[in-house]
Amino acid sequence: MLKIEIDNGSGFCFGVTTAIRKAEEELARGERLYCLGDIVHNGMECERLRRLGLVTIDHEEMTRLHHVKVLLRAHGEPPSTYELARRNDIELIDATCPVVLQLQKRIKEQYEAPISRASLVIFGKKGHAEVLGLVGQTQGNAIVIESFDEVSRLDFEHDIYLFSQTTKSLDEFHRITEYIQSHIAPTATFRSFDTICRNVANRMPSISQFAALHDLILFVCGRKSSNGRVLYDECLRVNPNSRLVEGPDEIEASWLEGVTTIGICGATSTPKWLMEECRDAILRLQQP
């Protein structure tokens, strides 16, 4: 008999849960609500909220809005977005994750320190919403590196202060830190700030254990999810028979052949209801 288990540790993190709750509360009042960017990197959850009335916009569209409510998602925004809201008399529903807010504050304080000439380096995905918000704290002057492969391009003759996007790999951050420590010039100073969210980092060992328990792993998440990619890669490392799907329609019957246990897990942007729909889809495929 086929056994299907949904990982209890998977699902929305605190920041995403708060942002969605704030959106639902505003929409329940029957008011028009805009969201700057996808509220979460999961297309099916975004569609559910769209049906409730949430209107997703980009920064260009926001410049044309006046006297409305705009929700800022958990990823955070640069100072320029807050200035635009003031100019256009836009009421902001700020759902920026507290962890991201704290990181923005630390980077801003470091950048504005009167005696600091250090290069501010952010380990993160170029163009990611959170990273854009972080770089915005430095008026666009921070250096972004996406992976360990890019660290050798830094100027080790000058001071370097290293920060990280909250959802990046903790292991890779430590590799980057060790490389800079071993290459920094004797006359330069290096400081690293471990700003990776433990809500994400702590999922790595648990999802690794979960992936090892099953014949097949279905990792459910949007393909734009940075956090999802990190966690899925860990599943794949532990269990080569891991599949990434955005929803139940992508599940193929051939994957179930010879399988006796299936584990379903997901990213911090994956709703529980979507993992449950994937479980139900598998059960339907099993019916004669």
Side-chain angles (χ1 to χ4, degrees), residues 7 48 70 84 86 96-97 102 107 138 189 234 239 258 264 275 279:
D7 177 30
R48 182 185 75 84
V70 173
L84 171 61
R86 284 191 291 270
T96 304
C97 173
Q102 183 62 27
I107 290 176
T138 70
T189 298
E234 178 64 12
N239 186 338
I264 300 176
M275 289 184 280
R279 175 200 60 201

Side-chain angles (χ1 to χ4, degrees), residues 148 151 162 170-183 190-194:
F148 176 80
V151 68
L162 174 69
L170 188 58
D171 288 342
E172 191 167 12
F173 177 79
H174 288 158
R175 287 183 67 204
I176 291 170
T177 297
E178 291 168 2
Y179 185 94
I180 297 175
Q181 285 174 334
S182 63
H183 288 78
F190 170 57
R191 296 180 66 191
S192 64
F193 304 88
D194 179 358

Side-chain angles (χ1 to χ4, degrees), residues 35-269:
C35 181
L36 186 55
D38 290 339
I39 192 169
V40 62
H41 287 151
N42 186 282
M44 297 186 73
E45 178 67 6
C46 288
E47 174 60 22
R48 182 185 75 84
L49 291 168
R50 186 196 66 78
R51 291 195 297 267
L52 293 178
L54 186 65
V55 180
T56 301
I57 58 170
D58 58 26
H59 288 83
E60 175 62 28
E61 290 169 315
M62 185 174 171
T63 63
R64 299 191 291 271
L65 295 177
H66 296 78
H67 318 297
V68 296
K69 286 186 178 182
V70 173
L71 183 139
L72 303 185
R73 55 196 176 164
H75 302 87
E77 284 291 323
S80 57
T81 298
Y82 293 85
E83 178 57 34
L84 171 61
R86 284 191 291 270
R87 289 199 310 268
N88 288 12
D89 193 24
I90 292 172
E91 180 182 345
L92 294 179
I93 310 298
D94 197 341
T96 304
C97 173
V99 178
V100 175
L101 279 176
Q102 183 62 27
L103 173 53
Q104 288 182 347
K105 180 182 177 182
R106 292 176 70 176
I107 290 176
K108 182 178 176 66
E109 288 175 348
Q110 189 60 61
Y111 177 73
E112 294 179 347
I115 61 172
S116 175
R117 292 188 175 180
S119 297
L120 296 187
V121 179
I122 298 170
F123 170 43
K125 183 178 180 181
K126 294 181 178 76
H128 187 280
E130 180 188 326
V131 174
L132 293 175
L134 300 178
V135 174
Q137 310 304 315
T138 70
Q139 299 181 9
N141 290 308
I143 300 168
V144 179
I145 58 172
E146 291 198 337
S147 67
F148 176 80
D149 295 338
E150 297 181 16
V151 68
S152 61
R153 303 175 189 173
L154 299 177
D155 181 359
F156 299 106
E157 297 299 318
H158 294 87
D159 296 352
I160 295 175
Y161 289 174
L162 174 69
F163 297 86
S164 176
Q165 178 183 341
T166 60
T167 54
K168 293 296 280 184
S169 163
L170 188 58
D171 288 342
E172 191 167 12
F173 177 79
H174 288 158
R175 287 183 67 204
I176 291 170
T177 297
E178 291 168 2
Y179 185 94
I180 297 175
Q181 285 174 334
S182 63
H183 288 78
I184 196 78
T187 55
T189 298
F190 170 57
R191 296 180 66 191
S192 64
F193 304 88
D194 179 358
T195 53
I196 293 173
C197 177
R198 288 306 185 266
N199 195 309
V200 175
N202 290 342
R203 290 192 180 187
M204 290 291 281
S206 61
I207 210 162
S208 177
Q209 293 171 7
F210 182 80
L213 294 175
H214 300 283
D215 300 329
L216 168 67
I217 290 294
L218 286 185
F219 190 88
V220 187
C221 82
R223 289 184 170 84
K224 293 192 293 183
S225 172
S226 177
N227 152 253
R229 173 51 60 179
V230 171
L231 293 173
Y232 172 65
D233 285 347
E234 178 64 12
C235 287
L236 201 58
R237 183 188 70 81
V238 174
N239 186 338
N241 196 23
S242 296
R243 305 278 186 168
L244 189 150
V245 297
E246 288 198 335
D249 293 344
E250 296 183 7
I251 300 172
E252 298 182 18
S254 60
W255 298 349
L256 312 182
E257 295 176 6
V259 166
T260 58
T261 64
I262 298 175
I264 300 176
C265 50
T268 57
S269 55

